[in-house]
Amino acid sequence: MKNLAEVIASGELQGNGPFTKKCHDWLENLYGAPALLTHSCTAALDMAMMLVDFTSERNEVILPSFTFVSTATCIVNSGGVPVFVDVDPATCNIDPAQVESAVTDKTAAIVAVHYAGVCADMDALAEICRRHDLILIEDAAQALLSRYKGRHACTLSDMACLSFHETKNLVSGEGGALVVTNPSFIDRARVIRDKGTNRYDFFRPGSTLDKYSWQDKGSSFLPSELIAAVLFQQLGQAERITQRRVELWHWYRDHLSVLEEKGFFRIGKVPPDCETNGHIFYLLCETSSERDDLLEHLKNDGIGAQFHYIPLHSSVGARKFNARTIGDMKHTDSVASRMVRLPSYAHMTLDDSNKVVRAVYSFYES
Ligand SMILES: Cc1ncc(COP(=O)(O)O)c(C=O)c1O
C-alpha cells in the first residue's frame, strides 16, 4: 500500500520509473544478467520469440507438450512452428533424448519448461544447442529461486521468462520478466519491449539522441509503475515466501510417502541435482478415473486440489497452426490424465495442510 501510494502521489504511473528500476536491479543482482519487467510471462515469451528471429529456413522450436499454452502461442505469434516432444515422467520436464530426435535443419530454438519449480536437464539441452547452433530459452514461469546444480534457474540458457501472475510464488497480479543471459540479445530486447523504438537509448543519461524513433519489431511489453511497486514489495519477501513453500512441499512429502510406498500413487520427483522452490506439490494417481475420484473426494471436503495442463500436441491450436509432434507422447498423455496438485500457498496453516493430508488418507483407506 505504501509503495502504491508513493507511485500515485508522484503522478508518474507509466513504466520504467523508480520501482521498475528497483525490480530490475533486484533481478540483475540475483542472476548477474539484465532483466526487463513485462506484463506477464506470456509477454516475455513473445519477446523471446521475436528475438529468435525466424527465417523461412529456420522456423521450428522444440518444446514440451505438457506446458501452459503461452509456451506455444509465442512461437506461432512470431510465425514459427511448434514441435512438441514428450516429457520425462519422473519430473514432467522435457526429455533431452526426445529433443535430440526432433532436431532438424529447420530447428531454431528449444524451450525448456521448469515444471513445478524443478529445473529441466539443462546441461543435456545446452549440449544439444551447442552442437546444432540453437538458441536455448527457459520458460521459468514457475521457477524463481529454483536451482540446478547449484545454479539459479534463469541463468542456464540464452534467455529466461518469469511469471509473477497471482498463482505464482511471488505475485504482482499479472506480471513477468525477461532475463537476458546472452548479452548479444539485450539491445534488441530493450527496443522490442519499447514498441520497437530506441526510447531506452534516448532516455539513457548522456544520450546524444535528440529523439527516439522506430527501429525494429516490437510491442508495448512494459508494465506500469503500479505493478512494479507491488512486485518490489514481493521481491523483498522472496526468500521467506519460497522457504515456506519449500517447507510445505517437504511436509506433504513426509506425510504422504507412506501411501506412495504402498503403491497408491507417485509423488513428483526432485532430482538430486535440483533444488525446488516448492511451487507445486503433485501426485500421480494410478489411473485417470482414480484421479477424477480423488479430486471429487477432496472437493467434497472443501479442498481445492487441481489437475494441470491439457497436452498441447492434441489441441485445436496445434492442428490450426500445423504444429508437429515427434514421438508417441505416451508420458505426456499419461501424466496429464493422472495428476493432482495439492493446495500450496505461503500462508497455509498447519490445520489446512493436515486437513488435506487427512482427506488423501481417507480416500485411499476407504
Ligand atoms: C510454464 C508456464 N509458462 C507460462 C505461463 C504464463 O504465465 P503468465 O500468466 O505470467 O503469462 C504459465 C502460467 O501459469 C506457465 O505455467
Side-chain angles (χ1 to χ4, degrees), residues 39-43 45 67-68 70-71 113 139 141-142 162-165 167-168 174-176 308-309:
H39 292 300
S40 59
C41 183
T42 303
L45 285 161
T67 181
F68 193 72
S70 306
T71 325
V113 178
D139 179 337
Q142 307 176 2
L162 284 164
S163 176
F164 302 112
H165 182 263
T167 50
K168 300 303 182 294
E174 304 283 346
H308 212 179
Y309 305 130

Side-chain angles (χ1 to χ4, degrees), residues 32 96 133 151 213 226 231 245 249:
D133 189 23
R151 289 136 63 201
S213 59
L226 294 168
L231 180 62
R245 289 265 196 170
W249 193 95

Side-chain angles (χ1 to χ4, degrees), residues 7 11 16 40 48 60 73 109 158 171 191 197 234 252-253 274 279 284 287 299 302 305 317 342 365-366:
V7 175
N16 273 341
S40 59
E60 292 186 352
T73 52
D158 293 295
V171 305
V191 170
T197 72
Q234 285 276 288
Y252 271 139
R253 197 195 50 188
C274 291
H279 179 58
L284 291 171
T287 63
K299 190 170 154 206
L342 297 183
E365 281 171 350
S366 63

Side-chain angles (χ1 to χ4, degrees), residues 60-64 83-87 94-107 109-111 121-134 136 324 326-327:
E60 292 186 352
V61 178
I62 301 170
L63 73 161
V83 178
F84 294 115
V85 296
D86 211 349
V87 291
I94 194 166
D95 178 351
Q98 296 295 320
V99 171
E100 186 79 66
S101 62
V103 174
T104 67
D105 289 347
K106 299 199 86 176
T107 310
I110 296 171
V111 185
D121 186 355
M122 295 306 289
D123 278 357
L125 296 172
E127 200 275 322
I128 295 172
C129 287
R130 253 193 311 277
R131 216 162 356 98
H132 296 280
D133 189 23
L134 309 176
L136 183 56
R324 297 202 301 117
I326 305 298

Side-chain angles (χ1 to χ4, degrees), residues 87-93 95 266 268-269 282 284 331 335 338:
V87 291
D88 175 346
T91 57
C92 299
N93 279 332
D95 178 351
R266 202 164 63 58
K269 287 286 161 288
Y282 65 89
L284 291 171
H331 297 308
V335 295
R338 295 185 294 119

Side-chain angles (χ1 to χ4, degrees), residues 24-40:
H24 284 175
D25 289 349
W26 192 94
L27 290 166
E28 190 162 339
N29 190 35
L30 182 69
Y31 295 130
L36 302 173
L37 290 197
T38 56
H39 292 300
S40 59

Side-chain angles (χ1 to χ4, degrees), residues 155-342:
T155 65
L156 311 165
S157 61
D158 293 295
M159 40 195 157
C161 305
L162 284 164
S163 176
F164 302 112
H165 182 263
E166 74 161 27
T167 50
K168 300 303 182 294
N169 285 18
L170 300 188
V171 305
S172 57
E174 304 283 346
L178 180 72
V179 182
V180 187
T181 314
N182 181 335
S184 69
F185 290 113
I186 186 62
D187 291 341
R188 275 195 77 217
R190 290 197 167 108
V191 170
I192 286 172
R193 178 170 169 268
D194 235 341
K195 297 103 178 164
T197 72
N198 55 353
R199 195 170 182 275
Y200 176 86
D201 276 342
F202 174 64
F203 281 109
R204 210 199 282 259
S207 168
T208 52
L209 295 173
D210 59 353
K211 53 184 154 332
Y212 67 86
S213 59
W214 187 17
Q215 307 288 318
D216 202 334
K217 57 189 163 188
S219 190
S220 179
F221 288 115
L222 70 161
S224 142
E225 273 294 279
L226 294 168
I227 296 286
V230 174
L231 180 62
F232 187 62
Q233 187 279 342
Q234 285 276 288
L235 294 176
Q237 304 291 313
E239 291 292 341
R240 189 183 63 76
I241 292 172
T242 307
Q243 193 189 346
R244 179 67 198 114
R245 289 265 196 170
V246 170
E247 280 166 13
L248 192 54
W249 193 95
H250 284 283
W251 191 91
Y252 271 139
R253 197 195 50 188
D254 293 348
H255 287 78
L256 291 170
S257 53
V258 174
L259 295 180
E260 183 183 41
E261 280 154 24
K262 287 184 178 168
F264 287 128
F265 50 70
R266 202 164 63 58
I267 295 171
K269 287 286 161 288
V270 180
D273 51 11
C274 291
E275 288 168 49
T276 180
N277 63 358
H279 179 58
I280 293 174
F281 184 93
Y282 65 89
L283 309 174
L284 291 171
C285 297
E286 276 286 283
T287 63
S288 163
S289 64
E290 185 181 303
R291 186 274 301 270
D292 294 346
D293 291 346
L294 174 58
L295 284 175
E296 186 64 21
H297 176 84
L298 295 173
K299 190 170 154 206
N300 290 339
D301 241 354
I303 295 165
Q306 304 283 340
F307 56 90
H308 212 179
Y309 305 130
I310 312 294
L312 296 179
H313 69 276
S314 43
S315 64
V316 171
R319 281 197 298 282
K320 184 166 181 172
F321 295 105
N322 297 318
R324 297 202 301 117
T325 301
I326 305 298
D328 60 13
M329 312 304 270
K330 65 174 186 235
H331 297 308
T332 297
D333 289 328
S334 173
V335 295
S337 70
R338 295 185 294 119
M339 182 172 287
V340 172
R341 288 179 293 152
L342 297 183

